[in-house]
């Protein structure tokens, strides 16, 4: 049940690796804080379509810029656990041709994470819980 005002729209990226033998999901950990394993995501800007926002957020947060596909998966409304607000969340599946197994990236853009370093790595989907219910639609990339 949604009992809070929707204050922002967010775009979430489930990125899988094209050449992997088994399905692999790109995740990151914040280099300076223990906030859990996450996927790239961020706020949709005014006038921006969700599919445009997810590509921009992935570029800013991971440095990845080239994708074989960007496919919508689901849209929902999620109550924030610690704050009295809710987000409209748009989930996408992106496929990347990325050879690196892990890397660090300094976030760019104008958001609050600008300059923060994220440590990226690949996991098998479903092998660890993602922070803040980010894995709610993970089964859809396995189909």
């Amino acid at each position: 049940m949604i009992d809070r005002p929707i204050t922002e729209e967010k775009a979430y990226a489930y990125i899988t690796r094209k050449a992997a033998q088994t399905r692999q999901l790109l995740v990151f950990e914040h280099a300076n804080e223990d906030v859990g394993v996450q996927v790239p995501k961020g706020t949709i800007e005014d006038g921006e379509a969700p599919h445009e926002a997810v590509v921009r957020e992935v570029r800013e947060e991971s440095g990845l810029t080239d994708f074989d596909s960007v496919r919508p998966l689901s849209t929902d409304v999620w109550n924030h656990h610690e704050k009295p607000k809710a987000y409209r969340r748009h989930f996408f599946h992106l496929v990347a041709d990325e050879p690196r197994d892990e890397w660090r990236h300094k976030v760019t853009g104008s958001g609050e994470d600008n300059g923060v370093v994220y440590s990226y790595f690949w996991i098998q989907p479903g092998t660890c819980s993602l922070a803040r219910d980010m894995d709610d639609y993970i089964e859809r990339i396995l189909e």
Side-chain angles (χ1 to χ4, degrees), residues 8-47:
E8 294 179 81
E9 292 202 37
K10 302 278 188 178
Y12 291 72
Y14 292 153
I15 303 169
T16 57
R17 191 153 47 168
K18 182 179 178 182
Q21 297 280 334
T22 60
R23 182 72 43 116
Q24 294 179 324
L25 175 69
L26 184 65
V27 295
F28 71 88
E29 291 181 310
H30 196 290
N32 302 324
E33 297 179 30
D34 185 18
V35 291
V37 176
Q38 303 179 51
V39 295
K41 51 108 183 53
T43 302
I44 299 172
E45 297 174 355
D46 288 340

Tab-separated table of all heavy atoms in Angstrom, residues 8-47:
chain	number	residue	atom	x	y	z
A	8	GLU	N	9.597	11.573	-6.316
A	8	GLU	CA	10.568	11.492	-7.406
A	8	GLU	C	10.291	10.270	-8.257
A	8	GLU	O	9.695	9.297	-7.790
A	8	GLU	CB	11.998	11.369	-6.860
A	8	GLU	CG	12.502	12.563	-6.116
A	8	GLU	CD	13.907	12.332	-5.587
A	8	GLU	OE1	14.856	12.493	-6.374
A	8	GLU	OE2	14.029	11.984	-4.404
A	9	GLU	N	10.771	10.337	-9.508
A	9	GLU	CA	10.783	9.153	-10.367
A	9	GLU	C	12.225	8.732	-10.534
A	9	GLU	O	13.116	9.565	-10.716
A	9	GLU	CB	10.146	9.464	-11.724
A	9	GLU	CG	8.665	9.716	-11.607
A	9	GLU	CD	7.930	9.499	-12.903
A	9	GLU	OE1	8.288	8.577	-13.656
A	9	GLU	OE2	6.986	10.263	-13.143
A	10	LYS	N	12.458	7.427	-10.441
A	10	LYS	CA	13.808	6.874	-10.508
A	10	LYS	C	13.898	5.853	-11.640
A	10	LYS	O	12.936	5.151	-11.934
A	10	LYS	CB	14.168	6.163	-9.195
A	10	LYS	CG	14.090	7.028	-7.960
A	10	LYS	CD	15.326	7.846	-7.796
A	10	LYS	CE	15.318	8.565	-6.440
A	10	LYS	NZ	16.535	9.329	-6.237
A	11	ALA	N	15.076	5.752	-12.234
A	11	ALA	CA	15.357	4.750	-13.262
A	11	ALA	C	16.423	3.805	-12.726
A	11	ALA	O	17.457	4.252	-12.219
A	11	ALA	CB	15.832	5.417	-14.545
A	12	TYR	N	16.171	2.485	-12.817
A	12	TYR	CA	17.056	1.437	-12.298
A	12	TYR	C	17.554	0.582	-13.452
A	12	TYR	O	16.773	0.236	-14.342
A	12	TYR	CB	16.295	0.543	-11.324
A	12	TYR	CG	15.912	1.210	-10.035
A	12	TYR	CD1	14.900	2.166	-9.998
A	12	TYR	CD2	16.545	0.872	-8.841
A	12	TYR	CE1	14.540	2.776	-8.805
A	12	TYR	CE2	16.188	1.490	-7.651
A	12	TYR	CZ	15.189	2.433	-7.637
A	12	TYR	OH	14.842	3.036	-6.464
A	13	ALA	N	18.832	0.199	-13.404
A	13	ALA	CA	19.442	-0.569	-14.487
A	13	ALA	C	19.902	-1.945	-14.016
A	13	ALA	O	20.765	-2.049	-13.144
A	13	ALA	CB	20.637	0.188	-15.058
A	14	TYR	N	19.304	-2.978	-14.593
A	14	TYR	CA	19.843	-4.331	-14.467
A	14	TYR	C	20.693	-4.536	-15.716
A	14	TYR	O	20.169	-4.710	-16.811
A	14	TYR	CB	18.742	-5.375	-14.437
A	14	TYR	CG	17.849	-5.373	-13.214
A	14	TYR	CD1	16.554	-5.848	-13.313
A	14	TYR	CD2	18.294	-4.939	-11.967
A	14	TYR	CE1	15.713	-5.890	-12.206
A	14	TYR	CE2	17.468	-4.975	-10.866
A	14	TYR	CZ	16.178	-5.450	-10.985
A	14	TYR	OH	15.354	-5.483	-9.893
A	15	ILE	N	22.004	-4.501	-15.557
A	15	ILE	CA	22.921	-4.626	-16.691
A	15	ILE	C	23.505	-6.027	-16.681
A	15	ILE	O	24.076	-6.467	-15.681
A	15	ILE	CB	24.056	-3.595	-16.610
A	15	ILE	CG1	23.474	-2.177	-16.547
A	15	ILE	CG2	25.004	-3.749	-17.803
A	15	ILE	CD1	24.489	-1.119	-16.192
A	16	THR	N	23.357	-6.728	-17.795
A	16	THR	CA	23.972	-8.046	-17.933
A	16	THR	C	25.059	-7.970	-18.985
A	16	THR	O	25.069	-7.084	-19.840
A	16	THR	CB	22.940	-9.132	-18.276
A	16	THR	OG1	22.242	-8.782	-19.468
A	16	THR	CG2	21.952	-9.320	-17.127
A	17	ARG	N	25.957	-8.957	-18.914
A	17	ARG	CA	27.123	-8.982	-19.803
A	17	ARG	C	26.849	-9.894	-20.980
A	17	ARG	O	26.474	-11.054	-20.802
A	17	ARG	CB	28.340	-9.446	-18.998
A	17	ARG	CG	29.622	-9.277	-19.709
A	17	ARG	CD	30.834	-9.108	-18.866
A	17	ARG	NE	31.053	-10.013	-17.750
A	17	ARG	CZ	32.211	-10.064	-17.101
A	17	ARG	NH1	33.217	-9.303	-17.461
A	17	ARG	NH2	32.351	-10.878	-16.093
A	18	LYS	N	27.062	-9.383	-22.177
A	18	LYS	CA	26.740	-10.085	-23.419
A	18	LYS	C	27.500	-11.397	-23.590
A	18	LYS	O	26.913	-12.421	-23.905
A	18	LYS	CB	27.025	-9.159	-24.604
A	18	LYS	CG	26.695	-9.741	-25.940
A	18	LYS	CD	26.988	-8.743	-27.032
A	18	LYS	CE	26.706	-9.333	-28.378
A	18	LYS	NZ	27.036	-8.383	-29.455
A	19	ALA	N	28.787	-11.393	-23.368
A	19	ALA	CA	29.618	-12.551	-23.705
A	19	ALA	C	29.752	-13.577	-22.589
A	19	ALA	O	30.457	-14.565	-22.740
A	19	ALA	CB	31.009	-12.069	-24.125
A	20	ALA	N	29.086	-13.367	-21.480
A	20	ALA	CA	29.248	-14.280	-20.342
A	20	ALA	C	28.630	-15.644	-20.632
A	20	ALA	O	27.599	-15.748	-21.285
A	20	ALA	CB	28.610	-13.678	-19.103
A	21	GLN	N	29.271	-16.709	-20.124
A	21	GLN	CA	28.750	-18.066	-20.268
A	21	GLN	C	27.433	-18.225	-19.512
A	21	GLN	O	26.523	-18.881	-19.953
A	21	GLN	CB	29.777	-19.078	-19.737
A	21	GLN	CG	31.079	-19.092	-20.502
A	21	GLN	CD	30.971	-19.887	-21.789
A	21	GLN	OE1	30.162	-20.784	-21.902
A	21	GLN	NE2	31.785	-19.542	-22.763
A	22	THR	N	27.371	-17.627	-18.319
A	22	THR	CA	26.144	-17.615	-17.524
A	22	THR	C	25.729	-16.160	-17.323
A	22	THR	O	26.557	-15.252	-17.407
A	22	THR	CB	26.355	-18.275	-16.145
A	22	THR	OG1	27.355	-17.551	-15.438
A	22	THR	CG2	26.759	-19.729	-16.284
A	23	ARG	N	24.461	-15.943	-17.045
A	23	ARG	CA	23.962	-14.575	-16.868
A	23	ARG	C	24.658	-13.917	-15.687
A	23	ARG	O	24.730	-14.484	-14.608
A	23	ARG	CB	22.454	-14.635	-16.654
A	23	ARG	CG	21.729	-13.337	-16.485
A	23	ARG	CD	21.570	-12.473	-17.728
A	23	ARG	NE	21.213	-13.136	-18.940
A	23	ARG	CZ	20.094	-12.960	-19.620
A	23	ARG	NH1	19.168	-12.159	-19.172
A	23	ARG	NH2	19.884	-13.580	-20.747
A	24	GLN	N	25.215	-12.729	-15.906
A	24	GLN	CA	25.887	-11.973	-14.860
A	24	GLN	C	25.270	-10.584	-14.765
A	24	GLN	O	24.985	-9.960	-15.779
A	24	GLN	CB	27.381	-11.838	-15.149
A	24	GLN	CG	28.119	-13.156	-15.095
A	24	GLN	CD	29.583	-12.985	-15.416
A	24	GLN	OE1	29.965	-12.169	-16.245
A	24	GLN	NE2	30.423	-13.768	-14.753
A	25	LEU	N	25.093	-10.116	-13.543
A	25	LEU	CA	24.496	-8.817	-13.264
A	25	LEU	C	25.560	-7.873	-12.725
A	25	LEU	O	26.317	-8.235	-11.821
A	25	LEU	CB	23.380	-8.979	-12.219
A	25	LEU	CG	22.710	-7.703	-11.722
A	25	LEU	CD1	21.870	-7.063	-12.827
A	25	LEU	CD2	21.851	-8.015	-10.499
A	26	LEU	N	25.599	-6.662	-13.263
A	26	LEU	CA	26.537	-5.662	-12.785
A	26	LEU	C	25.998	-4.991	-11.524
A	26	LEU	O	24.863	-4.508	-11.506
A	26	LEU	CB	26.779	-4.595	-13.858
A	26	LEU	CG	27.822	-3.535	-13.500
A	26	LEU	CD1	29.209	-4.166	-13.354
A	26	LEU	CD2	27.837	-2.432	-14.543
A	27	VAL	N	26.813	-4.971	-10.476
A	27	VAL	CA	26.454	-4.339	-9.206
A	27	VAL	C	27.643	-3.523	-8.716
A	27	VAL	O	28.752	-3.644	-9.221
A	27	VAL	CB	26.048	-5.385	-8.140
A	27	VAL	CG1	24.781	-6.116	-8.554
A	27	VAL	CG2	27.174	-6.360	-7.860
A	28	PHE	N	27.383	-2.697	-7.717
A	28	PHE	CA	28.475	-1.928	-7.121
A	28	PHE	C	28.286	-1.794	-5.623
A	28	PHE	O	27.195	-1.989	-5.090
A	28	PHE	CB	28.594	-0.539	-7.762
A	28	PHE	CG	27.491	0.417	-7.408
A	28	PHE	CD1	27.572	1.215	-6.278
A	28	PHE	CD2	26.373	0.540	-8.220
A	28	PHE	CE1	26.559	2.107	-5.951
A	28	PHE	CE2	25.356	1.431	-7.908
A	28	PHE	CZ	25.449	2.227	-6.772
A	29	GLU	N	29.393	-1.467	-4.991
A	29	GLU	CA	29.385	-1.084	-3.584
A	29	GLU	C	29.980	0.307	-3.492
A	29	GLU	O	30.908	0.651	-4.229
A	29	GLU	CB	30.193	-2.067	-2.737
A	29	GLU	CG	29.535	-3.424	-2.633
A	29	GLU	CD	30.313	-4.394	-1.782
A	29	GLU	OE1	31.529	-4.539	-2.008
A	29	GLU	OE2	29.698	-5.003	-0.892
A	30	HIS	N	29.451	1.090	-2.610
A	30	HIS	CA	29.944	2.434	-2.333
A	30	HIS	C	31.317	2.282	-1.700
A	30	HIS	O	31.482	1.524	-0.749
A	30	HIS	CB	28.962	3.100	-1.368
A	30	HIS	CG	29.087	4.573	-1.266
A	30	HIS	ND1	30.157	5.184	-0.671
A	30	HIS	CD2	28.253	5.562	-1.671
A	30	HIS	CE1	29.976	6.493	-0.699
A	30	HIS	NE2	28.823	6.744	-1.301
A	31	ALA	N	32.308	2.982	-2.206
A	31	ALA	CA	33.673	2.811	-1.712
A	31	ALA	C	33.874	3.321	-0.287
A	31	ALA	O	34.754	2.837	0.413
A	31	ALA	CB	34.659	3.506	-2.653
A	32	ASN	N	33.056	4.287	0.150
A	32	ASN	CA	33.294	4.908	1.457
A	32	ASN	C	32.244	4.583	2.508
A	32	ASN	O	32.420	4.916	3.670
A	32	ASN	CB	33.363	6.434	1.303
A	32	ASN	CG	34.442	6.856	0.342
A	32	ASN	OD1	35.497	6.253	0.285
A	32	ASN	ND2	34.158	7.868	-0.446
A	33	GLU	N	31.150	3.991	2.135
A	33	GLU	CA	30.071	3.707	3.081
A	33	GLU	C	29.564	2.289	2.877
A	33	GLU	O	29.609	1.763	1.779
A	33	GLU	CB	28.903	4.669	2.865
A	33	GLU	CG	29.223	6.122	3.117
A	33	GLU	CD	28.028	7.019	2.851
A	33	GLU	OE1	26.886	6.565	3.034
A	33	GLU	OE2	28.248	8.163	2.448
A	34	ASP	N	29.060	1.701	3.952
A	34	ASP	CA	28.470	0.375	3.861
A	34	ASP	C	26.957	0.527	3.720
A	34	ASP	O	26.221	0.513	4.696
A	34	ASP	CB	28.820	-0.454	5.096
A	34	ASP	CG	28.320	-1.879	4.997
A	34	ASP	OD1	28.013	-2.325	3.868
A	34	ASP	OD2	28.226	-2.553	6.040
A	35	VAL	N	26.512	0.719	2.472
A	35	VAL	CA	25.085	0.905	2.212
A	35	VAL	C	24.501	-0.266	1.416
A	35	VAL	O	23.374	-0.196	0.958
A	35	VAL	CB	24.800	2.248	1.498
A	35	VAL	CG1	25.066	3.410	2.431
A	35	VAL	CG2	25.615	2.380	0.236
A	36	GLY	N	25.275	-1.314	1.264
A	36	GLY	CA	24.793	-2.498	0.579
A	36	GLY	C	25.143	-2.533	-0.902
A	36	GLY	O	25.599	-1.559	-1.478
A	37	VAL	N	24.919	-3.693	-1.484
A	37	VAL	CA	25.168	-3.907	-2.909
A	37	VAL	C	23.994	-3.307	-3.684
A	37	VAL	O	22.833	-3.508	-3.338
A	37	VAL	CB	25.318	-5.412	-3.204
A	37	VAL	CG1	25.480	-5.667	-4.693
A	37	VAL	CG2	26.499	-5.992	-2.428
A	38	GLN	N	24.319	-2.566	-4.747
A	38	GLN	CA	23.304	-1.846	-5.501
A	38	GLN	C	23.503	-2.014	-7.001
A	38	GLN	O	24.552	-2.476	-7.449
A	38	GLN	CB	23.371	-0.350	-5.178
A	38	GLN	CG	23.209	-0.023	-3.719
A	38	GLN	CD	23.309	1.465	-3.472
A	38	GLN	OE1	22.640	2.260	-4.128
A	38	GLN	NE2	24.150	1.857	-2.525
A	39	VAL	N	22.487	-1.605	-7.751
A	39	VAL	CA	22.587	-1.480	-9.204
A	39	VAL	C	22.567	0.010	-9.533
A	39	VAL	O	22.060	0.816	-8.742
A	39	VAL	CB	21.443	-2.222	-9.939
A	39	VAL	CG1	21.529	-3.715	-9.707
A	39	VAL	CG2	20.077	-1.670	-9.563
A	40	PRO	N	23.094	0.395	-10.704
A	40	PRO	CA	23.024	1.805	-11.083
A	40	PRO	C	21.576	2.271	-11.160
A	40	PRO	O	20.707	1.561	-11.667
A	40	PRO	CB	23.681	1.834	-12.465
A	40	PRO	CG	24.545	0.623	-12.500
A	40	PRO	CD	23.827	-0.402	-11.686
A	41	LYS	N	21.346	3.482	-10.658
A	41	LYS	CA	19.999	4.049	-10.654
A	41	LYS	C	20.100	5.529	-10.353
A	41	LYS	O	21.136	6.015	-9.924
A	41	LYS	CB	19.115	3.354	-9.624
A	41	LYS	CG	19.724	3.275	-8.237
A	41	LYS	CD	19.096	4.175	-7.244
A	41	LYS	CE	19.729	4.146	-5.895
A	41	LYS	NZ	21.144	4.356	-5.832
A	42	GLY	N	19.006	6.238	-10.607
A	42	GLY	CA	19.013	7.649	-10.259
A	42	GLY	C	17.724	8.332	-10.636
A	42	GLY	O	16.817	7.736	-11.216
A	43	THR	N	17.664	9.591	-10.310
A	43	THR	CA	16.471	10.399	-10.497
A	43	THR	C	16.288	10.787	-11.957
A	43	THR	O	17.231	11.203	-12.627
A	43	THR	CB	16.565	11.669	-9.630
A	43	THR	OG1	16.726	11.271	-8.260
A	43	THR	CG2	15.323	12.530	-9.760
A	44	ILE	N	15.061	10.669	-12.419
A	44	ILE	CA	14.696	11.104	-13.763
A	44	ILE	C	14.521	12.617	-13.723
A	44	ILE	O	13.778	13.148	-12.891
A	44	ILE	CB	13.406	10.409	-14.242
A	44	ILE	CG1	13.631	8.888	-14.285
A	44	ILE	CG2	12.956	10.957	-15.589
A	44	ILE	CD1	12.382	8.078	-14.548
A	45	GLU	N	15.209	13.326	-14.601
A	45	GLU	CA	15.158	14.783	-14.627
A	45	GLU	C	13.912	15.269	-15.357
A	45	GLU	O	13.323	14.537	-16.168
A	45	GLU	CB	16.425	15.324	-15.291
A	45	GLU	CG	17.682	14.980	-14.506
A	45	GLU	CD	18.966	15.383	-15.203
A	45	GLU	OE1	18.918	15.863	-16.365
A	45	GLU	OE2	20.034	15.224	-14.584
A	46	ASP	N	13.510	16.503	-15.073
A	46	ASP	CA	12.339	17.095	-15.732
A	46	ASP	C	12.493	17.029	-17.248
A	46	ASP	O	13.544	17.386	-17.787
A	46	ASP	CB	12.161	18.557	-15.311
A	46	ASP	CG	11.668	18.702	-13.882
A	46	ASP	OD1	11.114	17.721	-13.343
A	46	ASP	OD2	11.836	19.797	-13.314
A	47	GLY	N	11.451	16.553	-17.933
A	47	GLY	CA	11.456	16.466	-19.384
A	47	GLY	C	12.200	15.268	-19.943
A	47	GLY	O	12.260	15.094	-21.154
